[in-house]
């Protein structure tokens, strides 16, 4: 298309053509509630897709785009990157939890064979920052947790770097510390910060409010209320209350945090193990005060993040500084211990939750008071489920962060929600018992979400739920079986920084580019599927280029944003490119663009001027070598609707009342994510959420020694993570839920998938098995046995 | 561990004084046991430490040659090909593969033998390469994830992993493939229990286990039908 044509088109559009059109979109769940709603959308939007069963590639379980690369070992992760002359960097970490750094002597390290540079950290990232920085008037950052990086060494081999790092002499002046979060709340506890301090969230969430008061180590409360809470409890026929305690979990991604930084005068290139190429670029450009155009971030493959991998962080800025200093590329990958200590975790929670309801199940009041520790960061809030799952006349939530001398938390898969749902969904279960109602019926009464209503029906009809004995503790013998359910909620976050470019080449090959990174959720595959659907070419023939800030901006992959944010831009670009393509080739085919249509990989003439020709042959008629269209995410079609989504998990457990062991035998997982773009990949993520959630509920625990303030299990043997032998049979039922929000109508799944609700589902199943409620995670055998021995109300905590 | 003499590569007539050579021409098994004061309990270790020879120059008073601490030439037999690398004797096989041979398909996750991310085959046995010194692999057939495909055809198990979407981030995948493929080598008809047992040491954080079970059993089914 030449400029003249474009100008004419624009002129015509502004002068005559309307900018909006009305379309009819599928809404609801096929087989249950499917209907249509109209939407006003920009005229440039592609035609509305039908539901998945009527599409060829989208909505199908197309093979993972990079599956072959991953199974063959060809996939190149950041930790695999090797550059000529590359140096290896190693942090020097503080060995104590709270200290002033008096002096740092790097001379011996600098002289060590193979060492090329030593960097002393002046700005440590990740920790909460004092509102009044003058309170920390010291030369070096104050150490607020054991494992905080202090300096780093770059050398020609990893061994030389490690040996030289041990030669950096750091003099510390110890400061009294606190790692017990209950003790930290006391007014006379050692203070982690000398004044109020706040932590910003990342692209993946996390961080806490900065507009709250701070008393000692208590940062908060952050208070939200609607309705009259006192009146709500007065109106209640039944009140249930419980205290729920959850532990700190570490992300434990298999690939640790790290980068390879190559600082050249004209361009800083950084390979990063990140969930946000954009976030790394922004932090590096901001930190070093260089333009964004001089920073390039590349993430070809990424070995797990779960919320902890946003921004450059300490490894990123230190590696870049060392590369700048030495003139060589520098790799800085954390070791396993550092990964546990310094780059994030899921905060703990200590929640007191009180719910009042009428005899018919109508909820009149929800009151949550929550504390939690995000170490020397903030972000332990967990009121999301209590605030967003059920209709209530009155709601009152108070959330406080408690500072302790431990590594700062970061966003972790559905921040705050596994904790919040663990308390809320067990309390709702307890309410059902008190009201003598079925747990599903109670939720039907109070949960107005139309899709979860369908999902409850799926649960109700399932064999697993039908096998549940409503009488708690009814099984005979020492091993007792139970079934329980819980619901999850997550939110529709859209990143408008989502663009894609689609290119059609004259040889008929197709390419789509975006800076977005594929963190394992499979967005590359979905991008290929969208082009395949548009051009009628198998997805494997589409070239997908992602994970590079040289490409059009991509969303950071956090908060379940990637697929729902990016795919409409991909589809819009593909559609617009196809239209431009038809205009471009029409003259060569002796017709006009309105006569042409691209269907099933063929270009056809509506008027029958010529026999259908393949897309590839048609491409050969292009006037120039390539057609490229970049499209950017447009806002949701109706941003006031369908703001949340979620699902339901049902767990079947066996509780050995003699050994205290809980075994999760089966899980039924019923979830929605808008239009599922690739069901196999969605199911993979749901499996993952369930498995991570079981691991969190039963096993994982970051243990801090109160005497020395050190983590005692910073490894993968004492920090227990679920393994192959404990995996239950997981039955995932995907519920297609059309919501009419974009040209793809996709939602996310990473957060809502299981991890939010499985803990409470297990708790409710355990109650159903043994008639005792476990209100604490991890539910270790010791916790279970203590609860069995002391089942008096309010005394269940081991 | 199998007897290395069975699987030792047939050639090895290179004259250069590599650690591999000293292992082959040097100390006898009995001599080593005597010199190192090992008992029968050390047999598993023995297969691996023959790189240390007692009769080469520089033999210590204990009758064991001390190599290093600087780099020494070490000959490794990896995926059917001989490679000589200059490495410090303390170098793990994982480091040698990843940093010296550019074979980065083998992943290092915990670096202390608990996650099996770095699984390779020592002859046909799945072993953690982070816990194996490169010199201990001398004289053995080392097979890595890059080496289980044959003639450009991916291993049926790799194909099954793709078919069943038995991966997410993919970082544990090479280790999982190596453990499951080793299982199929020694038991072509495993039960799900067998598969769970075979990867009970392999850690996946994305939660791909159910599909790994399915993929491996699928291949077993194919084998059964064939």
């Amino acid at each position: 298309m030449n400029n003249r044509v474009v100008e004419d088109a624009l002129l015509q559009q502004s002068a005559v053509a309307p900018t909006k059109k009305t379309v009819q979109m599928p809404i609801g769940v096929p087989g249950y509630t499917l209907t249509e709603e109209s939407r006003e959308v920009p005229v440039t939007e592609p035609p509305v897709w039908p539901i998945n069963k009527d599409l060829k590639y989208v909505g199908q379980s197309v093979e993972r785009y990079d599956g072959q690369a991953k199974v063959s070992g060809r996939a190149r992760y950041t930790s695999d990157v090797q550059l000529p002359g590359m140096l290896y960097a190693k942090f020097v970490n503080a060995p104590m939890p709270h200290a002033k750094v008096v002096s740092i002597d790097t001379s011996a390290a600098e002289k060590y064979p193979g060492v090329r540079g030593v960097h002393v950290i002046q700005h440590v990232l990740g920790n909460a920052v004092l509102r009044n920085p003058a309170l920390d008037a010291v030369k070096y950052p104050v150490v607020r947790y054991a494992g905080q990086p202090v300096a780093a060494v770059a050398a020609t081999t990893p061994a030389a770097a490690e040996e030289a790092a041990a030669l950096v002499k750091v003099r510390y002046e110890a400061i009294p510390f606190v790692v017990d979060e209950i003790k930290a709340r006391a007014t006379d506890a050692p203070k982690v910060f000398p004044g109020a301090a706040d932590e910003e969230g990342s692209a993946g969430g996390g961080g806490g409010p900065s507009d709250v008061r701070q008393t000692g180590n208590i940062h908060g409360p952050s208070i939200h209320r609607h309705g009259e809470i006192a009146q709500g409890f007065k109106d209640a026929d039944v009140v249930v209350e419980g205290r729920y305690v959850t532990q700190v979990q570490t992300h434990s991604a298999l690939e640790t945090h790290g980068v390879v930084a190559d600082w050249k005068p004209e361009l800083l290139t950084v390979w990063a193990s990140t969930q946000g190429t954009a976030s790394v670029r922004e932090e590096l450009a901001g930190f070093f005060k260089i333009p964004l155009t001089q920073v390039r971030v590349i993430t070809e493959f990424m070995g797990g993040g779960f919320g902890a991998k946003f921004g450059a962080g300490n490894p990123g800025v230190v590696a870049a500084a060392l590369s700048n200093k030495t003139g060589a590329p520098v790799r800085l990958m954390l070791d396993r211990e550092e990964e546990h200590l310094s780059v994030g975790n899921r905060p703990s929670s200590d929640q007191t939750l009180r719910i009042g309801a009428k005899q018919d199940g109508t909820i009149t009041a929800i009151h949550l008071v929550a504390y939690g520790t995000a170490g020397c960061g903030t972000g332990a809030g967990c009121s999301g489920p209590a605030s967003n799952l059920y209709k209530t006349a009155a709601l009152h939530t108070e959330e406080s962060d408690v500072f302790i001398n431990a590594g700062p938390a970061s966003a972790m898969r559905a921040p705050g929600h596994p904790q919040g749902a663990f308390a809320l969904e067990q309390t709702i279960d307890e309410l059902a018992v008190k009201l003598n109602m079925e747990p599903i019926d109670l939720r039907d009464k109070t949960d107005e979400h139309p899709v979860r209503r369908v999902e409850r029906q799926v649960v109700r009809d399932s064999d697993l739920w039908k096998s549940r004995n409503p009488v708690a503790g009814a099984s005979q013998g020492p091993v007792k079986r139970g079934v329980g359910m819980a619901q999850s909620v997550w939110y529709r976050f859209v990143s408008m920084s989502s663009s894609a470019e689609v290119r059609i080449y004259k040889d008929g090959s197709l390419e789509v580019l975006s800076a977005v990174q594929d963190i394992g959720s499979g967005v590359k595959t979905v991008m290929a599927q969208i082009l395949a659907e548009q051009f009628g070419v198998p997805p494997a023939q589409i070239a997908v280029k992602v994970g590079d800030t040289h490409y059009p901006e991509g969303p950071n992959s956090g908060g379940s944003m990637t697929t729902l944010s990016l795919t409409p831009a991909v589809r819009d670009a593909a559609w617009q490119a196809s239209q431009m393509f038809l205009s471009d080739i029409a003259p060569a085919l002796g017709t006009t663009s309105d006569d042409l249509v691209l269907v099933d990989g063929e270009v056809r003439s509506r008027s029958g001027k010529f026999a259908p020709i393949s897309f590839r042959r048609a491409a050969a008629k292009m006037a120039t070598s390539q057609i490229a269209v970049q499209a950017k995410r447009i806002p949701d079609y109706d941003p006031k609707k369908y703001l949340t989504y979620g699902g339901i998990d049902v767990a079947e457990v066996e509780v050995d009342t003699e050994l205290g062991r809980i075994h999760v035998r089966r899980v039924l997982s019923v979830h929605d994510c808008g239009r599922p773009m690739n069901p196999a990949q969605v199911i993979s993520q749901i499996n993952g959420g369930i498995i991570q959630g079981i691991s969190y509920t039963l096993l994982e625990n970051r243990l801090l020694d109160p005497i020395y303030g050190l983590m005692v299990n910073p490894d993968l043997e004492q920090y227990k993570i679920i393994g192959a032998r404990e995996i239950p049979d997981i039955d995932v039922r995907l519920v297609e839920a059309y919501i009419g929000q974009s040209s793809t109508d996709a939602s996310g799944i990473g957060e809502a998938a299981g991890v939010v609700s499985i803990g409470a589902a297990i708790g409710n199943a355990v109650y159903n098995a043994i008639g005792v409620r476990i209100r604490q995670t991890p539910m270790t055998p010791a916790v279970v046995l203590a609860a069995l021995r002391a089942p008096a109300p309010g005394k269940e905590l081991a | 561990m199998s007897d290395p003499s069975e699987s030792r590569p047939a050639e090895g007539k290179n004259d250069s004084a590599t650690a591999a050579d000293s292992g082959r021409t040097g100390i006898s098994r009995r001599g080593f046991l005597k010199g190192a004061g090992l008992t029968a309990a050390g047999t598993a270790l023995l297969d691996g430490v023959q790189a240390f020879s007692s009769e080469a120059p520089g033999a210590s008073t204990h009758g064991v040659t001390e190599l290093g601490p600087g780099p020494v030439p070490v000959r490794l037999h990896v995926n059917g090909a001989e490679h000589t690398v200059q490495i410090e004797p303390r170098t793990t096989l994982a480091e040698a593969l990843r940093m010296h041979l550019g074979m980065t398909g083998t992943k290092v996750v915990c670096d202390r033998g608990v996650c099996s991310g770095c699984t390779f085959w020592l002859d046909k046995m799945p072993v953690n390469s982070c816990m194996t010194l490169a010199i201990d692999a001398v004289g053995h057939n080392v097979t890595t994830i890059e080496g289980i495909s044959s003639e450009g055809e991916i291993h049926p198990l790799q194909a099954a992993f793709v078919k069943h979407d038995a991966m997410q981030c993919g970082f544990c995948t090479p280790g999982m493939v190596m453990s499951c493929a080793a299982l199929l080598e020694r038991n072509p008809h495993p039960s799900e229990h067998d598969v769970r047992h075979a990867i009970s040491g392999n850690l996946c954080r994305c939660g791909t286990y159910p599909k790994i079970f399915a993929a491996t059993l699928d291949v077993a089914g194919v084998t059964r039908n064939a």
Side-chain angles (χ1 to χ4, degrees):
Chain A
M1 199 186 277
N2 61 37
N3 284 342
R4 176 73 194 285
V5 177
V6 173
E7 279 164 21
D8 285 355
L10 288 172
L11 197 65
Q12 196 184 10
Q13 191 173 318
S14 58
V16 188
T19 58
K20 294 265 186 180
K21 61 185 177 186
T22 302
V23 295
Q24 292 296 312
M25 298 194 72
I27 299 289
V29 181
Y32 290 90
T33 60
L34 190 64
T35 176
E36 280 194 342
E37 283 180 14
S38 64
R39 295 280 188 270
E40 288 269 298
V41 306
V43 286
T44 46
E45 284 290 274
V48 172
W49 268 341
I51 64 172
N52 275 353
K53 77 170 175 60
D54 298 322
L55 293 176
K56 190 167 179 190
Y57 297 110
V58 168
Q60 308 303 311
S61 292
V62 167
E63 181 176 293
R64 191 173 286 260
Y65 183 81
D66 50 17
Q68 303 268 351
K70 284 177 175 172
V71 296
S72 64
R74 285 202 315 275
R76 194 170 73 146
Y77 297 75
T78 300
S79 53
D80 300 331
V81 172
Q82 290 189 356
L83 301 176
M86 185 176 82
L87 303 175
Y88 298 84
K90 183 77 187 162
F91 274 133
V92 177
N93 298 308
M96 60 185 76
H98 202 187
K100 280 181 185 154
V101 175
V102 179
S103 65
I104 302 179
D105 177 3
T106 61
S107 54
E110 278 167 31
K111 285 185 211 123
Y112 194 78
V115 170
R116 294 288 180 272
V118 181
H119 176 77
V120 173
I121 292 173
Q122 299 289 349
H123 299 278
V124 73
L125 300 171
N127 301 2
V129 175
L130 284 165
R131 287 178 199 168
N132 176 8
L135 294 172
D136 255 4
V138 285
K139 191 171 174 196
Y140 303 105
V142 170
V143 172
R144 303 205 196 274
Y145 63 94
Q148 181 175 310
V150 174
V153 177
T156 50
T157 67
E162 191 170 337
E163 286 151 9
L167 298 176
V168 174
K169 293 191 191 74
V170 186
R171 271 187 56 218
Y172 298 97
E173 183 183 305
I175 304 173
F177 67 88
V178 60
V179 296
D180 180 311
E181 58 186 286
I182 303 287
K183 287 185 182 148
R185 284 194 234 164
T187 49
D188 60 348
K191 287 185 180 59
V192 176
F193 290 95
D198 306 304
E199 182 196 349
E200 279 180 31
S202 68
S210 53
D211 54 350
V212 296
R213 72 164 187 259
Q214 186 177 322
T215 313
N217 291 318
I218 300 177
H219 180 273
S222 170
I223 299 173
H224 294 279
R225 47 164 74 102
H226 81 76
E228 287 298 322
I229 196 75
Q231 189 59 45
F233 282 112
K234 254 184 226 162
D235 295 342
D237 298 322
V238 171
V239 175
V240 286
E241 179 174 341
R243 181 178 170 216
Y244 293 84
V245 175
T246 62
Q247 80 284 29
V248 170
Q249 177 187 28
T250 69
H251 299 72
S252 295
L254 294 198
E255 184 184 38
T256 57
H257 283 63
V259 302
V260 175
D262 187 12
W263 195 316
K264 296 275 190 329
E266 62 283 1
L267 185 69
L268 166 60
T269 306
V270 176
W271 286 260
S273 182
T274 184
Q275 296 172 245
T277 53
S279 71
V280 176
R281 179 163 75 158
E282 280 159 23
E283 189 161 70
L284 288 171
F287 191 89
F288 293 106
K289 299 185 172 53
I290 51 177
L292 288 167
T293 48
Q294 283 180 26
V295 186
R296 177 185 187 187
V297 178
I298 299 169
T299 305
E300 290 177 77
F301 290 90
M302 204 280 282
F306 313 111
K309 286 182 178 167
F310 292 100
N314 294 313
V317 298
V318 169
L322 279 167
S323 178
N324 192 18
K325 184 180 275 184
T326 59
V330 171
R331 172 198 292 188
L332 204 176
M333 298 300 297
L334 298 190
D335 65 25
R336 184 52 53 189
E337 179 170 356
E338 292 169 328
E339 186 71 13
H340 277 294
L341 296 177
S342 62
V343 285
N345 51 68
R346 181 188 294 289
S348 66
S349 76
D350 182 347
Q351 309 169 61
T352 303
L353 179 63
R354 197 164 173 238
I355 296 183
K358 295 277 205 193
Q359 201 59 52
D360 68 356
T362 309
I363 294 178
T364 57
I366 298 178
H367 186 198
L368 173 70
V369 178
Y371 294 87
T373 187
C376 63
T378 63
C382 58
S383 65
S387 307
N388 295 298
L389 260 170
Y390 300 109
K391 193 175 144 195
T392 175
L395 174 75
H396 182 124
T397 62
E398 284 184 32
E399 302 162 279
S400 299
D401 280 289
V402 181
F403 286 121
I404 63 169
N405 290 105
S410 61
M412 184 166 183
R413 210 163 182 175
H417 282 61
Q419 302 97 297
F422 183 70
L424 177 75
E425 287 295 276
Q426 288 214 69
T427 307
I428 293 291
D429 198 68
E430 197 172 0
L431 183 63
V433 173
K434 272 212 169 173
L435 293 171
N436 198 24
M437 286 177 85
E438 277 286 303
I440 296 186
D441 295 343
L442 174 58
R443 288 173 172 90
D444 274 344
K445 179 82 188 176
T446 60
D447 175 11
E448 296 181 314
H449 199 288
V451 181
R452 270 195 305 271
R453 191 170 295 281
V454 171
E455 288 165 342
R456 280 191 298 274
Q457 193 54 46
V458 174
V459 169
R460 209 191 301 266
D461 294 341
S462 70
D463 290 342
L464 181 57
W465 189 256
K466 284 178 186 161
S467 76
R468 175 179 181 267
N469 188 334
V471 181
S475 25
Q476 300 299 308
V479 178
K480 299 194 180 294
R481 175 183 180 276
V483 176
M485 57 102 65
Q487 303 199 132
S488 78
V489 62
W490 192 249
Y491 318 97
R492 194 178 165 76
F493 295 121
V494 182
S495 167
M496 299 304 288
S497 298
S498 302
S499 298
E501 181 167 318
V502 168
R503 294 180 185 163
I504 307 171
Y505 292 95
K506 204 168 182 167
D507 67 351
S509 58
L510 290 156
E511 187 172 52
V512 55
L513 307 94
S514 172
V516 70
Q517 52 293 315
D518 191 332
I519 64 172
S521 52
V523 72
K524 277 186 246 181
T525 318
V526 172
M527 292 166 79
Q529 288 174 267
I530 293 168
L531 264 68
E533 194 71 44
Q534 182 62 53
F535 294 97
V537 173
Q541 289 179 24
I542 311 288
V544 181
K545 308 272 172 76
V546 302
D548 187 337
T549 53
H550 271 9
Y551 303 147
E553 63 182 345
N556 294 309
S557 293
S560 298
M561 283 194 292
T562 311
T563 304
L564 75 85
S565 298
L566 184 65
T567 56
V570 174
R571 186 175 180 219
D572 290 9
W575 162 253
Q576 289 161 25
S578 76
Q579 298 309 294
M580 199 178 278
F581 169 73
L582 294 179
S583 300
D584 188 85
I585 60 169
L589 292 168
T591 185
T592 58
S593 61
D594 3 334
D595 182 45
L596 294 178
V597 58
L598 177 57
V599 180
D600 287 341
E602 287 181 342
V603 174
R604 296 178 191 164
S605 163
R606 291 176 207 268
S607 61
K609 276 193 181 138
F610 58 89
I613 60 169
S614 73
F615 172 71
R616 187 172 291 269
R617 279 185 55 215
K621 303 196 181 295
M622 280 164 52
T624 57
S625 65
Q626 134 188 337
I627 288 170
V629 176
Q630 199 179 114
K632 188 172 170 120
R633 181 66 152 87
I634 66 161
D636 272 0
Y637 292 166
D638 189 348
K640 287 187 224 61
K641 278 187 169 163
Y642 309 114
L643 302 176
T644 74
Y645 56 99
I648 303 174
D649 290 291
V650 184
E652 178 191 32
V653 302
E654 279 174 354
V655 183
D656 186 323
T657 55
E658 291 174 348
L659 298 176
R661 182 169 177 267
I662 297 170
H663 174 52
V664 181
R665 290 194 62 215
R666 275 196 288 175
V667 172
L668 170 66
S669 199
V670 188
H671 282 273
D672 60 291
C673 58
R675 177 195 299 276
M677 302 294 284
N678 183 316
Q681 292 185 165
V682 174
I683 289 168
S684 286
Q685 281 205 68
I686 294 173
N687 283 341
I690 295 289
I691 289 167
Q692 243 176 42
I694 295 172
S695 188
Y696 169 61
T697 306
L698 301 183
L699 299 167
E700 297 180 35
N701 200 357
R702 181 197 67 182
L703 295 168
L704 299 175
D705 177 276
I707 310 293
Y708 296 101
L710 307 177
M711 181 175 175
V712 300
N713 55 346
D715 49 48
L716 294 174
E717 61 265 34
Q718 300 303 319
Y719 185 88
K720 298 269 182 219
I721 296 176
I722 194 169
R725 282 183 290 201
E726 294 89 33
I727 304 301
D729 287 335
I730 303 173
D731 176 7
V732 177
R733 311 270 179 90
L734 268 190
V735 171
E736 283 178 39
Y738 297 91
I739 56 178
Q741 289 294 31
S742 72
S743 60
T744 62
D745 213 14
S747 284
I749 193 62
E751 330 285 320
V755 76
V756 174
S757 36
I758 191 68
I762 291 170
N764 293 338
V766 169
Y767 176 81
N768 182 244
I770 62 176
V772 177
R773 199 164 282 288
I774 311 282
R775 304 177 199 267
Q776 176 182 1
T777 56
M779 297 180 185
T780 61
V783 168
V784 172
L785 291 177
L788 279 167
R789 286 185 196 125
K795 301 258 183 192
E796 291 97 332
L797 288 176
Chain B
M1 213 175 275
S2 62
D3 186 335
S5 61
E6 288 168 14
S7 57
R8 189 175 299 156
E11 52 3 78
K13 296 197 174 95
N14 193 326
D15 285 333
S16 67
T18 65
D21 293 331
S22 50
R24 283 171 197 151
T25 57
I27 190 170
S28 70
R29 180 173 296 200
R30 227 173 102 237
F32 178 85
L33 277 172
K34 213 169 149 187
L38 278 183
T39 64
T43 310
L45 183 65
L46 181 65
D47 285 345
V49 292
Q50 46 185 322
F52 294 103
S53 162
S54 68
E55 284 151 35
S60 75
T61 50
H62 296 294
V64 175
T65 300
E66 289 179 5
L67 297 176
V72 295
V74 171
R75 179 127 42 85
L76 296 170
H77 189 85
V78 184
N79 299 332
E82 292 284 343
H83 301 269
T84 301
V85 288
Q86 283 283 337
I87 53 173
E88 296 176 11
R90 63 176 167 176
T91 305
T92 65
L93 181 62
E95 289 166 342
L97 291 170
R98 291 175 49 79
M99 293 171 56
H100 297 272
L101 295 175
M103 296 181 187
T104 55
T106 299
K107 303 298 181 211
V108 174
V109 175
C110 70
D111 210 9
R112 55 197 283 166
V114 294
C115 74
S116 300
C118 62
T119 301
F120 76 106
W121 294 351
L122 185 74
D123 302 321
K124 288 288 182 186
M125 177 181 285
V127 176
N128 290 324
S129 60
C130 77
M131 298 292 282
T132 306
L133 291 177
I135 53 172
D136 284 351
V138 169
H140 293 273
N141 283 311
V142 169
T143 306
T144 70
I145 186 70
E146 290 92 349
I148 65 161
S149 313
S150 59
E151 290 154 22
E153 286 276 307
I154 68 169
H155 190 286
L157 185 71
Q158 291 174 310
F161 265 57
V162 176
K163 176 183 160 195
H164 288 271
D165 199 38
M167 72 200 85
Q168 288 181 60
C169 84
F171 211 72
C172 75
T173 309
M176 290 287 186
V177 169
M178 294 307 286
S179 290
C180 293
L183 168 69
L184 293 172
E185 291 275 330
R186 63 181 183 267
N187 176 4
H189 309 295
S191 65
E192 184 180 311
H193 176 85
D194 297 331
V195 180
R196 286 173 182 258
H197 183 77
I199 58 167
S200 61
N202 287 75
L203 182 67
C204 168
R205 190 53 161 162
C206 298
T208 57
Y209 298 101
K211 293 185 170 183
I212 293 172
F213 304 155
T216 308
L217 293 172
D218 191 355
V219 176
V222 168
T223 309
R224 217 172 278 132
N225 296 338

